[in-house]
Amino acid sequence: MTANDIVLLDALVAKSKDRLGTTLSDDELFELFCLEQGLKRYALTYEDLRTGWVDGGRDGGIDGFFTLVDDNLATIDEIPDAHKHHPTIEIVVCTVKHRSSFQQAPLDQLHASLAELLDLSKDDSALEYPYNDSVLEAREIFRQALLDNAGKRFQFRAQILYMCRGDARAVGDDLRARATTLEKLIQRQIRETISCSVTFVGASELLDLARRQPDYSIKLPFIESVLSRGKTNYAILCRLYDYYRFVSAEDGSLRRHLFESNIRDYLGGKTAVNKDIAATLSGRGTDGDTVDFWWLNNGVTFLASYASTVGKEMHLENVQIVNGLQTTETIYNWFSQLKQQDNGSSLKTDDRAILVKIIVTEDRAVLDRIIKASNYQTPVDAAFLRATDKIQRDIEAYLEGRDWYYERRNGFWQNHGKSADRIVSPRQLAKYVRAIALCDPLGSLSSKSNIFRSDQVYNTVFNSSWKLDVYLACLLIARNIERLGKTGQVPAAEFNRGHLHLTLPFAAYLYVALVLGRQKWGPEEVIQVANSFEDGVAGEALGRVSEQLLRYIAGKNAANKAKRIIKKRRFFEELIAAAGLNAPQLDPTLADDHDDTDE
């Protein structure tokens, strides 16, 4: 590492503030930057990164704690289904320090924390250290992922990333020995562990990671003449091995960013379709080894903004694979396994081909039609198709015209370099609308919410008869209150910023109630409230919610986490009563979409 690496890294971090969040302190900015780089291979969104960002008081030395099931991020609301016979459960635990050298104290802290956090025989109340709610929530996600897959022969991986501005090559033997001790601890605790590593990530490594951008401009070799009608669509045959190389990154991992517009997830190797694909690849098809792969497979569909042929190569810009995820992952897994078995010696002799269809367009309406049509060919949960609904497209267009970016397609605006402060996901907006326009903050935190699964609930929250201003108003109210919380502009004796994701829906509802002087209102009434936002009233509302939550927590034992407490209807009723109001009558459509509220 050179001295220049630190200077260049600091400049990159400072430059990322507009992208990651203008309200972040310098330490918070460095932490989020490091988490983004350390988990880059998983193609996580800003919202994903914040779910595993657990830094704060009483974090036990842990700044990031992420659980993944077959490379898909697990959250408190959703543990991804593991369809593979041998699923892989992975944790990535990060400790980030702004110092310019690696020290032993952070490793000692991690050792003490992980020794009890990964011990499933202990419930939260039995933990010796009083971890914050974010750490406990991350632990619950990890625990649930293991329990959900207990009946399967799962494999476990653990990555421990120690990131700072130091020189990773200068780490001494004593620190490396301590890292080895930590690795052995995890291996003893979870016997299904097949891989565990502690990695020192210094200024040079962070700089290299930051410079490594997803490649959307790729060359794809083909073996036969191109079928084309003009320069807007192509059909080619590509050797299976060349296709495998096309979807593989430099480090051998799958280029997951190529699937951001694919609204289905990989269904695993045990489904009938994928078993057939794997059987064909293995030469075990019913017609024997002479059958070419593309005879039995529908192929894959690409979207691209530009395509041209040079010799026997197709040059593609801004590639997205919108149909063929099952085929692609099965091919990738099969060739990866074969490569390990014989070191790849037999791969180049396989002349079988896959059919690739390429559509060149940047028209968003056309893109949506293609994505939706491509993904109706096999059964898909309707929840994954919501992104192409007219109301979703209308909200995106309306917000974009007002410098807000609606992430209805995963990672779309993030990949276009828009600031995290100006991006909102459908789940976030649904939470804001439910709390503010529908007067239902309790439902906005429901873990069994059917917003994107039930037509009835979905059409209530995303109501096409409303003015689009309603969605902007809810967004503005929520984000303004979030701004007050993040910058500490809360006139409360006690305020826990770590609870902001929980207190925000209640504070937003209470703010509108205080402004209007009543507990119930129509959706379009919030437009004027948003247009004349009052920081003082909003700060008071957030302070009231925070102080009541902290008071409730103080009266409970450690096992009662903040999220469990705040979702009780009694909590909401007391909050509203303190403002001289009664809890509003709930919309019947939303009544069954709540968690149980009994004490």
Side-chain angles (χ1 to χ4, degrees):
M1 184 188 81
T2 67
N4 285 340
D5 286 344
I6 295 180
V7 175
L8 293 173
L9 176 63
D10 288 346
L12 269 182
V13 173
K15 188 177 179 180
S16 73
K17 188 158 192 170
D18 287 340
R19 179 171 53 82
L20 295 178
T22 55
T23 61
L24 298 172
S25 67
D26 289 345
D27 285 343
E28 289 171 335
L29 178 63
F30 185 71
E31 284 176 9
L32 192 55
F33 177 88
C34 287
L35 295 182
E36 179 188 39
Q37 305 313 318
L39 287 99
K40 180 170 278 188
R41 69 175 292 263
Y42 302 105
L44 301 183
T45 65
Y46 296 138
E47 187 179 2
D48 292 335
L49 286 172
R50 288 176 184 274
T51 63
W53 188 18
V54 299
D55 175 50
R58 299 181 289 109
D59 58 26
I62 299 173
D63 298 305
F65 191 148
F66 302 83
T67 300
L68 302 105
V69 179
D70 291 335
D71 281 354
N72 296 305
L73 183 69
T75 68
I76 195 65
D77 296 320
E78 183 178 6
I79 305 296
D81 291 330
H83 297 283
K84 296 179 182 178
H85 185 53
H86 300 297
T88 299
I89 299 172
E90 181 176 6
I91 61 169
V92 182
V93 177
C94 308
T95 185
V96 180
K97 304 298 177 186
H98 198 254
R99 305 186 188 101
S100 56
S101 64
F102 291 94
Q103 300 178 1
Q104 183 166 321
L107 291 180
D108 291 341
Q109 261 193 302
L110 284 178
H111 192 283
S113 296
L114 293 178
E116 58 176 357
L117 289 173
L118 302 186
D119 184 352
L120 300 187
S121 67
K122 291 184 176 182
D123 61 27
D124 290 350
S125 61
L127 298 176
E128 294 182 11
Y129 187 78
Y131 299 96
N132 67 40
D133 290 309
S134 296
V135 173
L136 294 178
E137 187 170 284
R139 183 192 191 227
E140 178 60 25
I141 294 170
F142 157 73
R143 175 181 170 277
Q144 197 58 52
L146 290 189
L147 294 180
D148 285 357
N149 292 281
K152 300 179 181 179
R153 295 176 60 188
F154 71 85
Q155 300 174 327
F156 181 75
R157 298 178 184 272
Q159 283 191 71
I160 312 299
L161 303 179
Y162 180 2
M163 295 181 277
C164 76
R165 297 158 64 246
D167 186 351
R169 292 172 299 180
V171 172
D173 292 341
D174 53 343
L175 261 68
R176 296 197 181 278
R178 190 56 173 159
T180 301
T181 302
L182 181 54
E183 293 169 353
K184 290 179 178 178
L185 166 73
I186 295 172
Q187 290 166 352
R188 285 196 306 271
Q189 285 191 304
I190 303 174
R191 65 184 183 87
E192 292 84 1
T193 302
I194 60 168
S195 172
C196 180
S197 62
V198 176
T199 305
F200 296 93
V201 183
S204 298
E205 291 75 24
L206 285 169
L207 200 56
D208 290 341
L209 285 168
R211 289 168 171 169
R212 189 182 305 162
Q213 298 300 321
D215 192 357
Y216 293 92
S217 302
I218 319 177
K219 300 175 184 178
L220 177 63
F222 58 89
I223 58 177
E224 298 296 339
S225 299
V226 175
L227 291 177
S228 175
R229 298 180 67 182
K231 295 185 178 181
T232 59
N233 54 79
Y234 302 85
I236 60 175
L237 288 177
C238 171
R239 288 178 65 241
L240 285 174
Y241 181 59
D242 288 335
Y243 185 72
Y244 163 72
R245 294 177 61 193
F246 174 82
V247 298
S248 299
E250 290 182 6
D251 62 0
S253 61
L254 185 63
R255 297 181 193 259
R256 294 201 173 274
H257 62 275
L258 297 179
F259 302 99
E260 286 160 354
S261 290
N262 194 301
I263 53 182
R264 185 187 288 106
D265 203 353
Y266 181 54
L267 300 178
K270 295 192 73 178
T271 61
V273 171
N274 291 345
K275 285 172 70 175
D276 286 345
I277 296 172
T280 304
L281 286 168
S282 302
R284 295 195 301 269
T286 56
D287 297 306
D289 297 343
T290 60
V291 176
D292 202 338
F293 181 82
W294 76 275
W295 300 358
L296 305 175
N297 184 272
N298 290 330
V300 296
T301 303
F302 291 1
L303 294 179
S305 62
Y306 173 81
S308 66
T309 57
V310 179
K312 287 288 186 178
E313 281 188 335
M314 180 70 70
H315 291 223
L316 302 166
E317 299 283 342
N318 299 314
V319 183
Q320 283 287 287
I321 303 174
V322 296
N323 190 35
L325 173 59
Q326 311 306 315
T327 295
T328 301
E329 288 234 22
T330 305
I331 290 173
Y332 171 79
N333 291 334
W334 188 78
F335 273 101
S336 295
Q337 293 171 5
L338 193 62
K339 202 170 184 178
Q340 292 177 350
Q341 291 171 5
D342 63 6
N343 202 28
S345 60
S346 64
L347 298 181
K348 296 181 180 179
T349 62
D350 192 334
D351 287 327
R352 292 176 297 171
I354 181 174
L355 175 64
V356 180
K357 291 166 282 187
I358 302 163
I359 301 169
V360 180
T361 182
E362 292 188 271
D363 186 314
R364 289 190 200 168
V366 173
L367 291 172
D368 283 336
R369 289 178 62 190
I370 294 169
I371 292 168
K372 191 167 187 176
S374 298
N375 286 278
Y376 263 136
Q377 293 174 4
T378 56
V380 183
D381 186 337
F384 298 114
L385 296 171
R386 299 295 190 188
T388 61
D389 287 355
K390 182 179 184 301
I391 182 64
Q392 299 294 324
R393 299 197 309 270
D394 289 347
I395 292 172
E396 180 186 42
Y398 182 80
L399 293 181
E400 184 183 358
R402 288 148 183 83
D403 198 28
W404 288 95
Y405 301 96
Y406 189 50
E407 194 95 296
R408 64 185 180 88
R409 282 182 287 158
N410 195 39
F412 180 82
W413 290 113
Q414 179 176 333
N415 293 331
H416 281 70
K418 300 304 180 183
S419 169
D421 288 340
R422 308 298 294 184
I423 293 175
V424 59
S425 73
R427 291 194 180 278
Q428 287 176 323
L429 186 60
K431 179 186 292 187
Y432 301 159
V433 169
R434 189 156 183 175
I436 300 167
L438 295 172
C439 308
D440 185 23
L442 273 173
S444 72
L445 293 179
S446 172
S447 61
K448 67 175 187 179
S449 175
N450 289 313
I451 287 178
F452 293 93
R453 294 190 291 272
S454 162
D455 284 343
Q456 190 177 31
V457 177
Y458 174 79
N459 291 328
T460 300
V461 175
F462 291 100
N463 192 325
S464 58
S465 69
W466 291 351
K467 292 180 179 179
L468 292 173
D469 305 63
V470 171
Y471 299 98
L472 177 62
C474 293
L475 172 58
L476 291 175
I477 291 170
R479 287 296 175 88
N480 273 319
I481 292 176
E482 185 178 53
R483 168 181 56 82
L484 296 175
K486 286 183 175 180
T487 55
Q489 299 179 58
V490 184
E494 290 185 276
F495 175 68
N496 187 327
R497 184 173 166 181
H499 293 153
L500 186 56
H501 66 297
L502 299 175
T503 55
L504 178 58
F506 292 88
Y509 167 83
L510 182 58
Y511 167 68
V512 179
L514 291 173
V515 170
L516 296 179
R518 59 184 190 274
Q519 67 267 24
K520 188 76 173 176
W521 47 84
E524 294 187 4
E525 291 185 77
V526 303
I527 298 172
Q528 184 56 41
V529 176
N531 290 338
S532 55
F533 190 82
E534 301 177 46
D535 279 10
V537 179
E540 178 189 347
L542 183 55
R544 286 191 189 187
V545 180
S546 182
E547 287 183 330
Q548 181 173 311
L549 179 58
L550 291 172
R551 189 168 65 252
Y552 264 64
I553 292 172
K556 304 285 184 179
N557 63 47
N560 282 284
K561 293 177 285 188
K563 188 170 185 178
R564 187 180 307 160
I565 293 171
I566 204 168
K567 290 196 296 183
K568 301 293 184 183
R569 185 157 186 83
R570 177 184 157 192
F571 179 92
F572 180 44
E573 290 173 346
E574 182 178 320
L575 180 70
I576 299 305
L581 302 169
N582 296 317
Q585 189 69 32
L586 188 64
D587 187 319
T589 305
L590 306 175
D592 294 331
D593 198 43
H594 275 223
D595 286 327
D596 296 333
T597 56
D598 294 336
E599 283 291 338

